[in-house]
Amino acid sequence: PTKRDSTYAAWVSISVGCNNTCTFCIVPSLRGKEKDRRPGEILAEIKALVAEGVIEVTLLGQNVNAYGVDFGDQLAFSKLLRECGKIDGLERVRFMSPHPRDFTDDVIEAMAETPSVMPHLHMPLQSGSDAILQSMRRSYRTDKYLGILDRVRQAMPQAMITTDIIVGFPGETEEDFQGTLDIAAQARFAAAYTYKYSIRPGTPAGVMPNQVPEEVVGERYTRLHE
């Protein structure tokens, strides 16, 4: 049983923990390796919510499209989306957050072919610089990221794409930041959650050299918003 503030929308966790090792993130240290809930358990919770009047569900995980790693099914997340689409009374399904490394075409197909799955993709970019992505230990590069967005828009021309961006990661140069501005323009995001980098104790990035001065981070943050 969970106390929920909304009568029509609900968040449903499909996994906890994370198997990635992003240098700015404390989640793996706090929550451990990814553990997946079984599909039947998730669907039973959603059906119970719908019976109570919920019409919109957001599937939650630190890396939702890695779902299935616990039981060895690489297609588990796209299957889960399709099964959600079969639940009578469930009008809208969303999910967050995927990771570009694990995002596959079967998920795009499930989104495009399942009417209740909203054409909304929240795909964290974090940085438009390949050098900074490597330092962040994000296992993709900008060409792969933009390729995902292209394939999503081919399947769903009306898709709304949102993102996360960190400004001022340790070692970020003006050239690196310009790369973020360039990708943001190419990607045509509908919205972005933007963050000034700050040290999180216990993370590798927190002890990296070349921390960017706060006034530089603030100026770049303003430019990104503009």
Side-chain angles (χ1 to χ4, degrees):
T2 302
K3 181 182 182 298
R4 301 179 192 270
D5 293 329
S6 173
T7 57
Y8 69 89
W11 306 79
V12 175
S13 292
I14 67 171
S15 63
V16 293
C18 187
N19 293 341
N20 295 316
T21 56
C22 301
T23 54
F24 55 79
C25 185
I26 199 70
V27 165
S29 300
L30 293 180
R31 298 184 181 176
K33 294 290 186 182
E34 179 175 328
K35 294 182 176 62
D36 296 328
R37 297 176 68 192
R38 288 286 170 169
E41 181 184 343
I42 296 166
L43 293 167
E45 180 178 352
I46 295 172
K47 289 174 183 176
L49 288 166
V50 171
E52 295 172 3
V54 167
I55 60 171
E56 177 174 323
V57 160
T58 302
L59 305 176
L60 287 180
Q62 199 66 31
N63 178 7
V64 289
N65 52 308
Y67 176 73
V69 67
D70 250 9
F71 42 89
D73 185 354
Q74 294 182 334
L75 302 178
F77 186 59
S78 61
K79 291 176 182 175
L80 183 62
L81 290 176
R82 292 182 187 277
E83 288 302 312
C84 287
K86 298 176 183 176
I87 298 175
D88 289 337
L90 182 61
E91 297 180 16
R92 294 188 293 273
V93 179
R94 305 179 188 276
F95 59 88
M96 63 175 19
S97 291
H99 190 294
R101 183 194 68 183
D102 301 306
F103 198 77
T104 50
D105 288 347
D106 61 292
V107 173
I108 298 175
E109 292 166 7
M111 291 176 69
E113 295 169 5
T114 311
S116 61
V117 177
M118 294 295 94
H120 170 210
L121 177 65
H122 183 77
M123 180 66 76
L125 170 65
Q126 308 300 8
S127 174
S129 161
D130 286 346
I132 294 297
L133 288 174
Q134 183 174 4
S135 185
M136 287 177 167
R137 218 179 283 156
R138 299 284 289 178
S139 47
Y140 57 88
R141 299 297 175 258
T142 53
D143 57 347
K144 176 171 183 173
Y145 184 92
L146 290 172
I148 292 171
L149 303 197
D150 286 344
R151 295 198 302 279
V152 168
R153 286 181 166 129
Q154 285 170 11
M156 294 169 285
Q158 78 279 30
M160 174 182 176
I161 296 175
T162 57
T163 197
D164 297 334
I165 297 174
I166 297 172
V167 176
F169 188 80
E172 182 186 75
T173 65
E174 181 60 30
E175 183 181 4
D176 293 324
F177 177 66
Q178 185 60 50
T180 296
L181 295 179
D182 293 343
I183 296 296
Q186 291 179 59
R188 309 191 313 279
F189 297 120
Y193 296 91
T194 55
Y195 307 89
K196 298 177 185 178
Y197 173 77
S198 59
I199 291 175
R200 177 62 62 91
T203 61
V207 294
M208 284 181 177
N210 302 318
Q211 299 282 332
V212 181
E214 187 175 337
E215 62 272 16
V216 176
V217 177
E219 188 272 335
R220 289 177 182 170
Y221 185 78
T222 299
R223 270 194 284 156
L224 176 61
H225 271 248
E226 290 171 349

